[in-house]
Amino acid sequence: MKYRQVHLDFHTSEKIEGIGEKFSKEQFQEALKKGCVSSITLFSKCHHGWAYHPSRANEIHPNLNFDLLGAQISAAHELGVKTPVYLSAGFDEKIARRHPEWIVRMKDDSMLWTKSFLEPGYHKLCINTPYLDYLLEQIKEVCENYEADGIFLDIIGVQPCYCRHCRETMEQEGMDPFKEADVMTLAERVYAKYAMRVRETIDSVKPGLPVFHNGGHIRRGRRDLAYMNSHLELESLPTGGWGYDHFPLSAAYARTLGMEYLGMTGKFHQSWGEFGGFKHPNALRYEASLSIANGAGVSIGDQLHPSGEMDMATYSLIGKAYEELSLKEPWLLKAENLADIGVLSAEAVIEKSGFHDRALAEAAKLADIGAARILLEGHYLFHVIDEEEDFTRYSLLVLPDIILLETKLKEKLEQYVVQGGKLLATGSSGLNSEKTDFQLDFGIRYLRENEFRPDYFRPGFTIEDLDTSAFVMYSQGYAIEMVSGKELGSRENPYFNRTAAAFCSHLHSPARNEKAGPGMVSGKDGIYISWEVFGDYATAGSLILKRMVQYALDQLLNDKAAVRTSLPAQGIVTLTKQKSRYVVHLLYGVPVKRGKNTEVIEDIQPLYEIEVRLNCTEEIKRIYLAPGEIELKYIQKKESVEFKVPKLELHQMVVAEY
């Protein structure tokens, strides 16, 4: 899979004239060369529903008079640039207006995405209607008529629907549209049938041609859905509301699946469809570097002008990132990302249970986000895993906040501990599904949910940056008592919960300064923290939460972390392994908030004399900076090697050959 890709959006209204009239093979090729592009995704059909080539299965855009797709493919292939082809699967506004009976309907009969035809926007189509056959013919036509290097299908996934066709299917099969479980069962089956028929359609013409179904999120715990794709494209535009810590979380799960994957960002200041919007070149350089450090290729989103003329300012911007990336590729090929820690995804466990509850799903999302943030900021090497993963790959597993243990998961964790693994559990994690008893040995007994919220934690260890105090804990706490563990910190209750009958000051009442039981305990199987600290960190981000988790991780890893570094909290470190060499990736870029909800990176602050310790048993022969191959001095010890990086400016690869 190519590392330097562009996703060339071309959603173009029928109200615009002169489609493609300024397309030039030479100008198109000049843009690709300027951008150092190795693959570009081109459009067969857009969200408006029009084809950009002559078509029997669809209709060519009414204001396009030549085969634009064919011309683009020919021009790109002359340069050796690959050309996956895009078809909008979930949106086809032309068809939505002609066949409103094919539109996805919600329980109240409203339409999805855009609520009426009097508002601008698209209406999602149901694939349990004759629309699916219409779409499959379009896919087949592209495969038959064009040298596509893959198929990209957009706005598609498991979609609950209450349209007439779905209601009739449920009625015929004895299902109840008033039962959410029945609606979801049909939605799962409809999507699986769609994916199977797409694969059959493609293979009937070009067996094995890559295909990706884009639903905007790779659902953790749903390997079956992931494996319906030949590769993954992780849509994550930091400035479009995703933020800069979204992609590392998605990639940390994707790299456990044994599939190739891309990080998909955009050149836009904000998000898709923003004509004339540009982010700072340093932002795009950072996002490309973040992708490759996390084991991914890169795809940068652009939108072609209706005239067909490529915007050279865009490809100058993209080229600033991709020229650097092209020099780094030898240290990326077939590199495996290493991890000390497996974070058992709360989302994955909830998915596995099949229990659909919005509040629980939100809690799982926040638990995963908080865990990833703390581990990123602490520079720990981690993967986000599901229950199917081989736990023995990791020295330590983290069970964030809400991981209740069914029999199968309990037995797998018990076996992991017997083989020497350690656990960090927080909140209700480690309890049975009834929330009455711990299923793992942390040296404690479960009592109840604490009746006070917030309450307080007083650590029994030194907190970096803070003197000892009673620190407020906003998340739900759990009352426990000691059995055989070692107490690492205690709980203190407030005078009372804040109510109309009793309140104090502006937020909550202070701690009584009286011990109310243990709050953090070390036991035979690992360490338990009796609050939902990860969800709390995702929403509030209090420093004490991070320090509690970091102390626990350091105790459990026992100085065996594969990499330790003096990077500040906003720095990111990853470690990969190629044949006979390790590659340490160091990144530093600090996003700032612009406007209401836009994170941007503009200025890059260089860092100097970054200390790195790499734990390894191999005898190191050479350490150098890549791609410049500048040699570094190092100190080889029995089970580690230490060195300093003289300067880090945005991204630096350090190679240790053995």
Side-chain angles (χ1 to χ4, degrees):
M1 189 173 66
K2 298 294 185 181
Y3 277 97
R4 293 169 278 119
Q5 303 200 19
V6 164
H7 186 95
L8 188 62
D9 261 11
F10 198 50
H11 305 294
T12 308
S13 169
E14 63 276 7
K15 303 292 185 181
I16 297 178
E17 299 177 351
I19 305 304
E21 66 180 10
K22 291 188 177 180
F23 172 80
S24 157
K25 169 185 169 181
E26 292 74 22
Q27 197 261 354
F28 185 78
Q29 291 179 329
E30 182 186 356
L32 296 180
K33 288 187 280 189
K34 192 175 189 68
C36 296
V37 176
S38 56
S39 177
I40 184 165
T41 300
L42 302 169
F43 269 44
S44 165
K45 184 182 82 165
C46 72
H47 288 344
H48 294 273
W50 302 111
Y52 294 95
H53 53 85
S55 176
R56 297 184 308 277
N58 194 3
E59 298 170 40
I60 192 170
H61 192 290
N63 299 314
L64 174 66
N65 59 19
F66 72 102
D67 186 349
L68 177 59
L69 175 63
Q72 290 172 323
I73 290 175
S74 176
H77 281 180
E78 279 189 16
L79 301 179
V81 174
K82 287 187 175 292
T83 56
V85 173
Y86 174 106
L87 296 98
S88 178
F91 290 155
D92 185 323
E93 195 61 14
K94 165 172 53 66
I95 287 299
R97 292 172 184 270
R98 294 176 185 175
H99 290 280
E101 73 277 12
W102 293 355
I103 295 173
V104 168
R105 296 285 177 168
M106 306 309 290
K107 197 170 186 178
D108 62 0
D109 207 39
S110 64
M111 294 180 287
L112 197 59
W113 286 68
T114 307
K115 298 303 180 185
S116 82
F117 285 108
L118 298 178
E119 302 174 38
Y122 307 111
H123 302 82
K124 192 170 186 184
L125 292 163
C126 176
I127 50 175
N128 190 36
T129 68
Y131 172 68
L132 177 58
D133 290 325
Y134 175 75
L135 174 63
L136 292 173
E137 285 301 312
Q138 295 169 353
I139 296 170
K140 185 176 183 181
E141 181 179 67
V142 168
C143 293
E144 288 176 337
N145 295 349
Y146 296 97
E147 289 301 316
D149 294 307
I151 298 292
F152 186 109
L153 297 160
D154 202 9
I155 317 293
I156 196 70
V158 177
Q159 178 62 63
C161 180
Y162 297 84
C163 74
R164 174 175 63 84
H165 295 271
C166 288
R167 294 198 314 272
E168 288 177 355
T169 300
M170 285 187 271
E171 182 179 348
Q172 291 166 5
E173 299 186 12
M175 304 169 79
D176 186 349
F178 291 96
K179 291 182 179 178
E180 187 174 347
D182 283 2
V183 176
M184 286 303 302
T185 296
L186 178 62
E188 293 275 0
R189 199 178 74 209
V190 165
Y191 181 71
K193 179 182 176 182
Y194 148 85
M196 178 186 70
R197 292 194 64 193
V198 166
R199 187 70 263 174
E200 289 173 348
T201 298
I202 293 171
D203 288 347
S204 70
V205 183
K206 292 186 176 178
L209 188 70
V211 63
F212 176 65
H213 309 274
N214 185 39
H217 173 59
I218 305 302
R219 290 164 62 181
R220 294 183 286 278
R222 292 300 306 271
R223 293 188 176 218
D224 57 328
L225 298 180
Y227 293 150
M228 292 175 186
N229 304 284
S230 52
H231 67 284
L232 301 176
E233 303 196 23
L234 310 180
E235 187 176 3
S236 184
L237 281 66
T239 55
W242 281 265
Y244 275 95
D245 58 2
H246 175 269
F247 173 74
L249 170 56
S250 295
Y253 179 64
R255 60 178 172 251
T256 69
L257 301 177
M259 305 174 71
E260 291 186 305
Y261 55 100
L262 295 168
M264 179 185 284
T265 183
K267 68 95 177 182
F268 317 105
H269 170 62
Q270 294 189 60
S271 195
W272 298 107
E274 185 188 42
F275 291 103
F278 295 83
K279 62 180 49 166
H280 195 283
N282 285 338
L284 209 53
R285 292 173 59 219
Y286 180 84
E287 291 157 26
S289 299
L290 185 65
S291 283
I292 62 173
N294 281 280
V298 189
S299 177
I300 298 175
D302 178 27
Q303 171 127 1
L304 181 64
H305 189 275
S307 69
E309 183 177 12
M310 299 282 269
D311 183 85
M312 297 308 291
T314 292
Y315 288 85
S316 175
L317 172 63
I318 292 172
K320 288 179 172 64
Y322 277 176
E323 185 176 8
E324 289 182 359
L325 177 50
S326 68
L327 300 176
K328 298 173 181 178
E329 288 184 9
W331 292 272
L332 307 177
L333 297 170
K334 297 183 179 179
E336 176 192 4
N337 278 72
L338 304 181
D340 299 309
I341 300 170
V343 178
L344 183 55
S345 164
E347 179 186 293
V349 173
I350 298 304
E351 286 276 10
K352 178 93 172 191
S353 73
F355 182 62
H356 301 287
D357 178 88
R358 288 184 177 86
L360 188 61
E362 181 64 17
K365 173 184 172 183
L366 292 174
D368 287 353
I369 289 172
R373 282 182 182 168
I374 289 178
L375 270 64
L376 284 169
E377 292 172 15
H379 311 131
Y380 298 97
L381 304 181
F382 70 97
H383 291 161
V384 174
I385 65 174
D386 55 29
E387 295 180 48
E388 295 180 48
E389 176 70 334
D390 177 6
F391 291 174
T392 62
R393 294 178 60 192
Y394 309 97
S395 303
L396 167 63
L397 296 184
V398 175
L399 312 184
D401 291 358
I402 60 170
I403 309 293
L404 304 180
L405 303 187
E406 302 289 349
T407 301
K408 187 175 179 181
L409 178 56
K410 173 194 171 186
E411 291 174 351
K412 188 170 182 177
L413 288 169
E414 287 175 337
Q415 184 62 32
Y416 168 75
V417 170
V418 167
Q419 293 175 305
K422 291 294 182 181
L423 304 171
L424 170 60
T426 65
S428 61
S429 291
L431 291 170
N432 58 13
S433 55
E434 296 77 25
K435 282 191 174 182
T436 58
D437 189 32
F438 280 105
Q439 303 298 287
L440 300 165
D441 187 357
F442 296 111
I444 52 177
R445 181 178 296 110
Y446 178 76
L447 298 178
R448 62 187 177 278
E449 288 188 358
N450 194 25
E451 62 270 28
F452 293 101
R453 183 176 178 185
D455 51 4
Y456 295 84
F457 173 66
R458 188 176 293 274
F461 51 88
T462 301
I463 296 291
E464 182 184 350
D465 307 319
L466 298 170
D467 291 338
T468 298
S469 182
F471 296 96
V472 64
M473 298 283 114
Y474 287 107
S475 65
Q476 179 62 58
Y478 295 85
I480 56 176
E481 64 180 3
M482 298 294 295
V483 176
S484 61
K486 175 185 177 183
E487 184 174 305
L488 302 176
S490 61
R491 176 191 313 281
E492 295 182 8
N493 287 328
Y495 286 92
F496 40 72
N497 286 326
R498 187 176 179 88
T499 66
F503 63 91
C504 178
S505 193
H506 296 288
L507 283 179
H508 46 76
S509 62
R512 285 183 174 274
N513 292 326
E514 298 173 355
K515 184 176 177 179
M520 183 171 173
V521 177
S522 176
K524 183 174 79 66
D525 291 350
I527 292 176
Y528 172 74
I529 299 173
S530 64
W531 290 274
E532 294 167 354
V533 294
F534 293 116
D536 195 0
Y537 196 75
T539 54
S542 175
L543 178 61
I544 183 61
L545 304 171
K546 178 162 67 172
R547 294 293 183 247
M548 292 164 70
V549 171
Q550 289 176 331
Y551 178 81
L553 295 176
D554 290 344
Q555 292 295 303
L556 295 168
L557 288 172
N558 193 26
D559 209 33
K560 297 296 184 183
V563 174
R564 298 311 290 162
T565 174
S566 62
L567 272 178
Q570 285 297 312
I572 287 179
V573 60
T574 65
L575 176 65
T576 64
K577 190 174 185 179
Q578 289 177 302
K579 184 179 180 181
S580 301
R581 67 187 180 194
Y582 293 99
V583 182
V584 179
H585 290 262
L586 303 172
L587 293 96
Y588 187 70
V590 181
V592 296
K593 192 173 181 180
R594 298 275 173 81
K596 290 184 178 181
N597 191 34
T598 303
E599 291 184 15
V600 303
I601 288 178
E602 187 171 320
D603 299 321
I604 297 298
Q605 179 66 43
L607 302 177
Y608 299 92
E609 299 299 319
I610 302 300
E611 298 176 1
V612 179
R613 186 189 73 203
L614 173 64
N615 277 348
C616 59
T617 56
E618 298 90 348
E619 181 183 353
I620 299 301
K621 301 294 187 183
R622 179 188 179 210
I623 294 182
Y624 61 92
L625 304 179
E629 301 207 29
I630 298 171
E631 302 287 335
L632 294 184
K633 295 179 180 179
Y634 60 93
I635 300 173
Q636 177 90 56
K637 297 186 176 181
K638 185 178 180 181
E639 293 187 348
S640 68
V641 62
E642 297 176 358
F643 54 89
K644 285 186 180 181
V645 178
K647 182 179 180 180
L648 166 61
E649 191 167 7
L650 193 144
H651 175 229
Q652 183 62 64
M653 298 185 298
V654 187
V655 183
E657 293 185 350
Y658 60 87

